[in-house]
């Protein structure tokens, strides 16, 4: 059974740092790019960051320079290091696996999702 | 960044109705678009990828179409369990961007 289990969320003050983890099981973690998607309460989905199988990383403009995505293939774990947190970073953070599909061009398929980790940034 | 818009933002329909949701990209994205369903308190679920390909295990009443800038998600014969918010996501280029969502009520 595929499982993505996020941890590390919590209440922090503006300017603080926090690291989210996402433990993967039930699939070959090294085979798939991974991503973080967040959702503020009552709001839509916002893509945050993406890491390829080879370790290339991409970020939303809103977190560029403050957040760092990484993966530890030996531990089947995805991370999101969040620095200089702001109130607007308050959200549920989901990790998701891109199982992908290529037929000529390649398409992203975010088919595996965690249950989400709540990050609250407030003084 | 590519901007995604969706319409309507919400809709109300009856069981058995056909529902159509539209997603528009600010520039051409080929067929690099997925549709996701999210129920309250749950993680999103992939329905459609590559604009029109049905993800395995998703009921056939869901279908997608479109290419370039205009895309459609159609739910044929709406069921009570389809109450959810539906999001499109462009994966043509980074930063990836979601549409604002369409809330479907019955």
């Amino acid at each position: 059974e595929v499982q993505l289990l996020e941890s590390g969320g919590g209440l922090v003050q503006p300017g603080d740092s926090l690291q989210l983890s996402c433990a993967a099981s039930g699939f070959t973690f090294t085979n798939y790019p991974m991503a973080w998607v967040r959702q503020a309460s009552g709001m839509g989905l916002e893509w945050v960051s993406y890491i390829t199988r080879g370790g290339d990383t991409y970020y939303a403009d809103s977190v560029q320079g403050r957040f760092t995505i990484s993966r530890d293939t030996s531990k089947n774990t995805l991370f999101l290091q969040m620095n200089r947190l702001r109130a607007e970073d308050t959200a549920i953070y989901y990790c998701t696996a891109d199982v992908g599909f290529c037929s000529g061009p390649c398409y992203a398929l975010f088919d595996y999702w965690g249950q989400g980790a709540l990050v609250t940034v407030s003084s | 960044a590519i901007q995604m818009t969706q319409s309507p933002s919400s809709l109300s329909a009856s069981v058995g109705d056909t529902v159509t949701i539209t997603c528009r990209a600010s520039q051409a994205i080929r067929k690099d678009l997925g549709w996701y369903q999210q129920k309250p308190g749950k993680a999103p679920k992939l329905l459609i990828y590559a604009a029109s390909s049905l993800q395995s295990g998703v009921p056939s009443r869901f279908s997608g179409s479109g290419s370039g800038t205009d895309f459609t998600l159609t739910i044929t014969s709406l069921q009570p369990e389809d109450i959810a918010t539906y999001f499109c996501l462009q994966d043509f280029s980074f930063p990836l961007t979601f549409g604002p969502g369409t809330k479907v009520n019955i």
Side-chain angles (χ1 to χ4, degrees):
Chain A
E1 179 192 5
V2 169
Q3 277 198 321
L4 292 171
L5 188 61
E6 298 100 337
S7 60
L11 172 63
V12 296
Q13 294 190 336
D16 283 355
S17 297
L18 199 63
Q19 185 182 64
L20 299 181
S21 300
C22 173
S25 61
F27 67 103
T28 307
F29 179 72
T30 53
N31 284 358
Y32 300 118
M34 299 290 294
W36 290 96
V37 172
R38 69 185 180 183
Q39 185 170 39
S41 179
M43 303 296 284
L45 300 171
E46 180 185 15
W47 170 80
V48 173
S49 186
Y50 185 98
I51 185 167
T52 68
R53 288 178 296 176
D56 293 333
T57 58
Y58 302 87
Y59 299 94
D61 291 345
S62 59
V63 307
Q64 179 76 50
R66 298 188 299 124
F67 289 13
T68 302
I69 189 172
S70 62
R71 62 195 300 165
D72 185 336
T73 54
S74 69
K75 297 180 179 179
N76 286 351
T77 302
L78 177 73
F79 300 100
L80 185 68
Q81 176 65 42
M82 302 183 292
N83 298 331
R84 304 198 307 276
L85 282 160
R86 306 167 178 166
E88 54 265 35
D89 296 319
T90 294
I92 295 173
Y93 285 72
Y94 295 101
C95 72
T96 179
D98 176 9
V99 304
F101 172 75
C102 294
S103 176
C106 291
Y107 304 98
L109 277 68
F110 294 111
D111 200 28
Y112 305 153
W113 294 77
Q115 85 291 347
L118 177 61
V119 173
T120 303
V121 184
S122 175
S123 55
Chain B
I2 297 173
Q3 307 300 317
M4 306 300 295
T5 58
Q6 278 183 244
S7 60
S9 57
S10 65
L11 66 89
S12 187
S14 300
V15 172
D17 283 354
T18 293
V19 167
T20 300
I21 299 168
T22 296
C23 181
R24 176 165 289 173
S26 60
Q27 65 184 73
I29 58 170
R30 303 183 307 194
K31 296 187 71 174
D32 298 25
L33 183 112
W35 288 97
Y36 293 79
Q37 175 194 65
Q38 188 181 33
K39 297 183 178 181
K42 300 294 186 181
K45 175 186 175 182
L46 174 65
L47 300 176
I48 301 283
Y49 63 94
S52 57
S53 295
L54 189 69
Q55 175 62 350
S56 175
V58 174
S60 59
R61 64 180 179 274
F62 291 93
S63 64
S65 64
S67 67
T69 60
D70 295 313
F71 302 86
T72 299
L73 174 70
T74 300
I75 310 172
T76 304
S77 188
L78 190 71
Q79 298 300 301
E81 60 266 33
D82 299 335
I83 294 174
T85 303
Y86 294 85
F87 297 91
C88 59
L89 169 68
Q90 70 80 17
D91 59 277
F92 176 76
S93 67
F94 291 103
L96 307 184
T97 41
F98 285 94
T102 297
K103 189 172 184 179
V104 174
N105 298 298
I106 291 182

